[in-house]
């Protein structure tokens, strides 16, 4: 007898339906799974057999063939355990086949028949909400899927409970949608810019970077506060909108990093070690998983010791920085993950780290300095808007009793600035100045005559590329927005040029 059970699988942060076809026929006892299953799906045979027996149901001593359709896409994970078990029971007549038709089933089975959570539940709930389907899944996944309004979710604790529900012997109440309160999305930060002494120039550059969505490189000796400043950048980013939080939650759900949360309410801050591989940063694998650049979506990707990252790792940043997404191609399919993040990098000015430190002498030769800084290629530096020097702190600045500006005050200015950009970008593909295209720059970010003379002089003296020219105009537009001014003056252009310190080094 043949039975069919509906299930689903994740492909990136989207899902597609999977039909579990089960055939129980006479013949030598066998249990075969086809349809491009990976090892974890093949191992489900033993979990399903033990779960059915330990739940008090008979397991057929016949030839069992299970097909996972469509058969041309590789299936992975243990979430097919529950639909496989239900298909076997339906083929024996223990469950009426028509009772299973309105539902999509997912869940990993323990040997005793209890249900364990799986990755990507919120992704599947979001993708199936237009199909008028209901989900039957483990209790641990219920809170996560409650974020979707138009999906009926029936949480169960074990296989026996699901069978009783389908046979009408037990009632399972569907999970109700959980409304997300704005204050929950705002959250409380454990760090604050008020804790950082001194560094007014770096703080100003960080404010401009966040306000306009500009990528940032901090250059300074060890102990100058580069990491401390960077780790406080999420505290001045605008609060997450619900749609943004849901996007982040989907990525973390697919990666298996939900950790019991139903919604990621804080902007991500990802700080991978410089030994990370290109796959670890960009994502990949036989069934591609999101990398650090996707896990930093709507948040901050912090790369400390920037030149120490492998060249191929840094080059993998090019497309995500430009496009806001990354596509991972395999022979049978392509997966696109969103990767709209603020890149913040930090590096020493030389190998020993003390080139710009007035208290310690640099031990590096000119050739060593050039080789060290050349580890970061020109195309990558061109894609980083602001290059900012962070000097060593003096004793007076470190021990000053003067109050520093709090993250909340800085965030309020940034929210106002982004409001101006949103109004300007209505009906256009950019919401922040960093995403303006050339024609948008010509319309909204052209300087007055004095400013034009200044940027023309900078282009000649510093031998700036065309991309650097546009970067300066975008930065100047953000500086003007922070000041509440529409016209780009020479003051805005001059300040923007200050934040391109590596362009001013003569050996480049």
């Amino acid at each position: 007898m043949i039975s069919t059970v509906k299930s689903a699988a994740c492909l990136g942060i989207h899902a597609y339906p999977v039909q579990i076809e089960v055939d129980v026929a006479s013949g030598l006892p066998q249990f075969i799974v086809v349809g491009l299953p990976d090892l974890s799906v093949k191992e489900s045979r033993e979990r399903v057999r033990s779960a059915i027996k330990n739940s008090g149901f008979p397991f057929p001593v016949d030839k069992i063939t299970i097909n996972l359709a469509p058969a041309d896409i590789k299936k992975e994970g243990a979430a097919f355990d529950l639909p496989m078990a239900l298909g076997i029971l339906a083929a024996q007549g223990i469950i009426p086949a028509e009772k299973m038709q309105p539902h999509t089933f997912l869940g990993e089975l323990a040997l005793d028949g209890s249900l364990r959570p799986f990755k990507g539940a919120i992704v599947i709930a979001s993708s199936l909400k237009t199909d008028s389907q209901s989900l039957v899944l483990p209790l641990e996944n219920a809170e996560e899927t409650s974020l979707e309004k138009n999906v009926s979710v029936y949480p169960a604790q074990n296989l026996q409970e699901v069978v009783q529900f389908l046979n009408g012997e037990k009632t399972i109440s569907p999970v109700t949608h959980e409304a997300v309160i704005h204050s929950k999305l705002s959250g409380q930060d454990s760090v604050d810019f008020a804790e950082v002494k001194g560094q007014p120039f770096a703080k100003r550059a960080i404010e401009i970077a966040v306000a306009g969505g500009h990528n940032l490189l901090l250059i300074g000796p060890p102990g100058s506060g580069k990491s401390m400043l960077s780790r406080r950048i999420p505290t001045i980013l605008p609060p997450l909108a619900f749609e943004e939080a849901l996007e982040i939650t989907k990525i973390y759900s697919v990666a298996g990093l939900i950790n019991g949360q139903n919604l990621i309410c804080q902007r991500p801050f990802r700080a991978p070690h410089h030994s990370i591989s290109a796959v670890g940063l960009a994502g990949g694998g036989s069934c591609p998983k999101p990398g650090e650049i996707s896990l930093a979506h709507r948040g901050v990707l912090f790369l400390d010791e920037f030149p120490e990252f492998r060249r191929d790792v840094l080059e993998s940043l090019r497309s995500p920085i430009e496009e806001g997404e990354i596509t991972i191609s395999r022979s049978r399919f392509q997966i696109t993950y969103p990767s709209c993040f603020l890149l913040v990098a930090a590096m020493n000015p030389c190998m020993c780290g003390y080139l710009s430190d007035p208290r310690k002498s640099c031990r590096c030769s000119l050739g060593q300095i050039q080789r060290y800084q050349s580890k970061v290629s020109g195309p990558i530096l061109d894609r980083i808007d602001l290059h900012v020097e962070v000097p060593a702190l003096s004793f007076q600045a470190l021990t000053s009793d003067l109050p520093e500006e709090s993250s909340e005050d800085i965030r309020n200015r940034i929210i106002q600035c982004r409001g101006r950009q949103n109004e300007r970008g209505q009906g256009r593909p950019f919401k922040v100045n960093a995403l303006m295209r050339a024609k948008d720059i010509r319309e909204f970010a052209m300087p007055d005559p004095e400013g034009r003379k200044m940027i023309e002089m900078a282009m000649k003296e510093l031998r700036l590329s065309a991309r650097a020219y546009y970067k300066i105009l975008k930065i100047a537009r953000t500086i003007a927005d922070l000041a509440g001014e529409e016209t780009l003056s020479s003051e805005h252009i001059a300040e923007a040029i200050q934040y391109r310190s590596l362009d001013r080094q003569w050996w480049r």
Side-chain angles (χ1 to χ4, degrees):
M1 183 176 177
I2 296 177
S3 65
T4 302
V5 185
K6 295 177 182 177
S7 189
C10 293
L11 193 61
I13 59 168
H14 303 284
Y16 63 95
V18 175
Q19 295 283 346
I20 310 289
E21 300 170 342
V22 181
D23 179 30
V24 178
S26 60
L28 292 174
Q30 283 183 297
F31 195 157
I32 303 170
V33 181
V34 297
L36 281 184
D38 74 344
L39 186 59
S40 63
V41 179
K42 290 179 180 179
E43 289 178 345
S44 65
R45 295 175 297 185
E46 305 307 320
R47 293 192 298 272
V48 168
R49 179 184 286 109
S50 297
I52 289 176
K53 289 180 177 179
N54 293 326
S55 297
F57 302 110
F59 190 84
V61 188
D62 293 301
K63 182 180 179 181
I64 302 171
T65 304
I66 296 180
N67 178 43
L68 310 178
D72 60 342
I73 301 177
K74 189 170 184 178
K75 320 299 187 305
E76 67 163 359
F80 300 118
D81 289 3
L82 177 60
M84 283 184 185
L86 294 174
I88 292 172
L89 295 177
Q92 298 179 84
I94 296 174
I95 304 172
E98 64 274 9
K99 294 289 186 181
M100 295 193 298
Q101 289 307 308
H103 306 294
T104 296
F105 300 90
L106 290 134
E108 177 184 342
L109 283 172
L111 298 183
D112 63 355
S114 59
L115 288 172
R116 290 174 174 162
F118 61 94
K119 300 176 184 177
I122 182 62
V123 174
I124 292 171
S126 297
S127 298
L128 298 183
K129 68 181 180 181
T130 57
D131 297 336
S132 300
Q133 287 286 316
S134 62
L135 286 172
V136 179
L137 40 68
L139 184 63
E140 287 84 349
N141 289 121
E143 188 178 6
E144 178 184 344
T145 54
S146 69
L147 297 171
E148 283 296 344
K149 293 181 181 179
N150 302 319
V151 182
S152 298
V153 178
Y154 295 90
Q157 294 182 331
N158 52 57
L159 175 61
Q160 192 174 46
E161 189 177 351
V162 175
V163 174
Q164 291 172 347
F165 167 67
L166 294 173
N167 286 330
E169 300 169 3
K170 184 173 183 177
T171 301
I172 299 178
S173 300
V175 176
T176 57
H177 171 67
E178 178 180 324
V180 180
I181 303 171
H182 180 72
S183 60
K184 185 178 179 181
L185 289 173
S186 301
Q188 294 294 324
D189 299 306
S190 58
V191 293
D192 197 285
F193 265 96
E195 302 162 348
V196 182
K197 295 292 184 181
Q199 302 296 9
F201 184 72
K203 288 179 180 178
R204 169 67 173 170
I206 288 171
E207 181 178 343
I208 293 168
V210 174
H214 305 288
N215 297 316
L216 172 67
L217 174 61
L218 301 174
I219 309 162
S224 58
K226 301 185 297 294
S227 298
M228 189 177 187
L229 287 163
S230 300
R231 291 186 183 279
R232 283 154 178 76
I233 290 177
T235 67
I236 61 174
L237 284 165
L240 282 172
F242 175 74
E243 291 74 17
E244 293 176 323
L246 195 58
E247 280 182 352
I248 299 168
T249 303
K250 288 179 181 178
I251 297 170
Y252 276 66
S253 180
V254 169
L257 299 175
I258 288 291
N259 297 327
Q261 303 176 72
N262 66 329
L263 185 70
I264 305 295
C265 297
Q266 298 290 319
R267 290 191 181 271
F269 180 85
R270 305 295 298 185
H273 191 261
H274 59 75
S275 61
I276 192 172
S277 65
V279 171
L281 188 71
S286 57
C287 291
K289 297 298 182 196
E292 291 291 336
I293 61 175
S294 295
L295 295 173
H297 182 59
R298 302 296 182 189
V300 177
L301 178 65
F302 177 52
L303 302 183
D304 200 6
E305 304 295 341
F306 197 46
E308 301 301 331
F309 284 80
R310 285 189 353 222
R311 188 67 169 255
D312 63 318
V313 174
L314 293 183
E315 295 303 315
S316 68
L317 290 169
R318 287 198 196 185
S319 176
I321 289 175
E322 293 283 327
E323 306 295 333
E325 61 183 23
I326 183 165
T327 300
I328 304 168
S329 299
R330 294 294 177 264
S331 58
R332 293 178 180 271
F333 56 87
Q334 288 184 336
I335 290 179
T336 299
Y337 285 111
S339 56
C340 185
F341 56 86
L342 179 67
L343 175 63
V344 180
M347 62 179 283
N348 296 327
C350 62
M351 290 182 66
C352 73
Y354 298 109
L355 177 64
S356 59
D357 194 330
R359 301 167 302 180
K360 294 186 178 181
S361 299
C362 174
R363 303 187 300 271
C364 304
S365 66
L366 179 59
Q368 289 175 318
I369 296 170
Q370 289 176 314
R371 282 193 297 273
Y372 180 77
Q373 295 196 0
S374 296
K375 288 182 179 180
V376 183
S377 68
I380 289 294
L381 281 178
D382 256 0
R383 285 168 168 80
I384 299 178
D385 304 29
L386 289 83
H387 315 149
V388 179
E389 294 183 3
V390 184
L393 276 176
S394 65
F395 177 78
Q396 289 76 14
L398 194 61
T399 57
S400 172
D401 292 329
L402 294 174
E404 300 290 343
E405 197 170 24
S406 69
S407 293
E408 185 178 359
D409 293 337
I410 301 172
R411 174 186 274 175
N412 289 336
R413 289 199 299 270
I414 288 171
I415 290 172
Q416 292 176 5
C417 178
R418 288 211 174 184
R420 298 184 186 100
Q421 295 171 62
N422 286 334
E423 290 178 10
R424 188 183 300 125
Q426 283 184 357
R428 302 172 187 272
F430 71 91
K431 296 298 181 185
V432 291
N433 290 332
L435 300 180
M436 284 196 295
R437 302 162 301 179
K439 65 177 183 179
D440 300 319
I441 292 172
R442 287 192 291 271
E443 185 174 352
F444 300 115
M446 295 309 295
D448 62 15
E450 289 299 318
R452 181 183 173 85
K453 290 179 182 177
M454 182 166 290
I455 197 168
E456 182 180 357
M457 186 185 305
M459 288 286 292
K460 291 178 181 177
E461 295 295 326
L462 303 178
R463 300 191 297 274
L464 299 178
S465 67
R467 183 180 279 114
Y469 165 74
Y470 285 122
K471 295 287 187 188
I472 291 173
L473 291 179
K474 291 178 185 179
I475 296 167
R477 177 69 270 166
T478 302
I479 294 169
D481 287 340
L482 281 168
E485 299 174 6
E486 282 300 318
T487 304
L488 262 63
S489 67
S490 58
E491 293 180 2
H492 303 140
I493 297 294
E495 184 176 359
I497 293 170
Q498 284 187 87
Y499 302 124
R500 302 282 300 181
S501 64
L502 291 183
D503 291 334
R504 299 196 296 272
Q505 294 179 348
W506 62 268
W507 61 73
R508 284 194 168 271

